[in-house]
């Protein structure tokens, strides 16, 4: 049986679309037998952009303090301070100097819940509905992949939530993402949250939001690394779907990767 000892993608109630505080997730992780837990809530942004789905900048210190307290309460568990981040060059100094520097974050996750298209930000879950928008998403994700600030890339196949059919454009964009991941030695995440979400209805039938099978079948042709995470939004899900996503990776011959937690 595939062993589950770590989860590097975990949210808290501060993001406004999850439940439970840091202590609750750590208690659930301890009960589930995890030895490594990454607390990686959606980062606050300097201008409090997209504040409906992330903590306010004013909550940053409290979030970090909760993680410090959890380390004292669960001394046998490695607990990381981390953040899931959208990318913009204007935010890089905040990510590097404040989050990784001043606050001592252990790693940052790159993500594309939004993507820039023709001068405006669009939500990925609903708006990747044309090949042109898919190309904009792909170009944006590749910029994230190419940036050393991010340890790995969350759910690179999230565009499947709104781009419903596998076609030549989806394959071309998938290959571009995978080529960038290999060139930059950047692991891609197989995200278990998509297995727990409501299924997507497509012209070809019902499927999971992600992992999107054709995306990862294509990715298996490349010598890239993947990380399997729960993307927990409830304490009881802190170890959920990791067995399945690891098995999904192993079945396709994808190389599993974990961050080096020896320094925290």
């Amino acid at each position: 049986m595939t062993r589950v000892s770590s989860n590097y993608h975990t949210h808290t109630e501060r993001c406004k679309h999850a439940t439970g505080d840091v202590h609750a997730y750590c208690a659930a992780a301890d009960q589930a037998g995890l030895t490594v837990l990454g607390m990686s809530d959606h980062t606050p942004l300097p201008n409090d952009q997209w504040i409906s789905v992330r903590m306010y900048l004013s909550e940053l210190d409290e979030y970090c303090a909760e993680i410090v307290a959890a380390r004292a309460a669960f001394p046998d568990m490695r607990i990381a301070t981390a953040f899931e981040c959208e990318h913009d060059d204007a935010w890089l100094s905040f990510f590097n100097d404040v989050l990784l520097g001043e606050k001592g974050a252990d790693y940052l996750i790159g993500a594309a819940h939004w993507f820039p298209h023709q001068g405006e930000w669009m939500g990925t879950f609903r708006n990747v509905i044309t090949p042109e928008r898919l190309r904009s998403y792909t170009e944006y994700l590749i910029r994230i992949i190419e940036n050393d600030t991010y340890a790995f890339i969350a759910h690179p196949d999230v565009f499947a939530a709104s781009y419903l059919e596998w076609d030549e454009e989806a394959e071309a964009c998938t290959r571009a993402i995978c080529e960038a991941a290999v060139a930059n030695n950047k692991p891609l995440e197989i995200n278990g949250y998509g297995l727990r979400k409501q299924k997507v209805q497509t012209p070809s039938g019902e499927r999971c939001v992600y992992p999107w099978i054709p995306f990862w079948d294509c990715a298996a042709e490349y010598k890239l690394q993947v990380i399997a995470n729960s993307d927990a939004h409830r304490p009881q899900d802190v170890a959920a779907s990791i067995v399945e996503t690891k098995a999904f990776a192993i079945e396709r011959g994808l190389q599993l990767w974990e961050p080096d937690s020896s320094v925290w």
Side-chain angles (χ1 to χ4, degrees), residues 7-256:
N7 175 40
Y8 294 93
H9 194 159
T10 312
H11 294 281
T12 76
E13 60 196 3
R14 292 187 185 280
C15 74
K16 306 180 185 72
H17 58 280
T19 60
D21 59 13
V22 172
H23 188 278
Y25 282 93
C26 292
D30 185 56
Q31 185 68 28
L34 298 188
T35 57
V36 181
L37 180 63
M39 296 304 309
S40 58
D41 215 346
H42 294 279
T43 186
L45 292 169
N47 60 351
D48 276 338
Q49 187 163 331
W50 301 314
I51 200 59
S52 64
V53 290
R54 64 191 61 245
M55 71 181 84
Y56 286 94
L57 183 60
S58 60
E59 296 179 272
L60 176 58
D61 287 343
E62 293 177 355
Y63 171 74
C64 293
E66 282 186 15
I67 297 173
V68 172
R71 288 174 180 156
F74 301 93
D76 295 330
M77 187 186 307
R78 292 186 181 273
I79 304 170
T81 300
F83 298 88
E84 186 177 15
C85 305
E86 259 70 36
H87 173 79
D88 191 286
D89 288 347
W91 301 328
L92 276 177
S93 61
F94 173 73
F95 292 164
N96 286 296
D97 299 341
V98 177
L99 299 185
L100 292 170
E102 178 185 337
K103 304 304 177 185
D106 297 292
Y107 61 89
L108 304 183
I109 305 171
H113 301 91
W114 286 265
F115 64 99
H117 178 71
Q118 296 182 352
E120 65 175 303
W121 288 99
M122 291 191 168
T124 304
F125 280 92
R126 294 183 179 181
N127 294 295
V128 188
I129 57 175
T130 66
E132 293 76 19
R133 293 183 182 183
L134 178 56
R135 286 193 287 272
S136 292
Y137 165 87
T138 301
E139 291 167 4
Y140 175 62
L141 193 68
I142 288 173
R143 291 205 302 274
I144 302 176
I145 291 170
E146 292 174 341
N147 198 293
D148 292 338
T149 300
Y150 312 105
F152 63 89
I153 304 301
H155 40 57
D157 51 339
V158 69
F159 67 88
S162 53
Y163 200 87
L164 300 181
E165 290 289 279
W166 182 258
D167 57 16
E168 291 182 358
E169 194 68 36
E171 180 177 350
C173 288
T174 296
R175 291 190 181 280
I177 290 167
C178 291
E179 288 166 7
V182 172
N184 292 274
N185 196 30
K186 188 66 60 69
L188 303 179
E189 180 191 63
I190 302 177
N191 186 290
Y193 193 23
L195 297 175
R196 306 190 301 275
K197 287 177 176 283
Q198 184 175 354
K199 298 291 191 295
V200 174
Q201 303 298 326
T202 81
S204 300
E206 184 179 82
R207 63 164 170 79
C208 290
V209 182
Y210 47 84
W212 199 12
I213 289 174
F215 178 99
W216 293 105
D217 285 347
C218 185
E221 299 177 23
Y222 296 83
K223 292 184 178 180
L224 50 76
Q225 295 179 311
V226 301
I227 182 169
N229 285 318
S230 169
D231 192 0
H233 284 67
R234 305 183 303 172
Q236 60 264 43
D237 291 336
V238 73
S241 309
I242 299 177
V243 167
E244 292 85 349
T245 50
K246 282 192 172 183
F248 185 92
I250 292 168
E251 180 182 350
R252 287 161 177 76
L254 292 161
Q255 181 182 350
L256 287 165

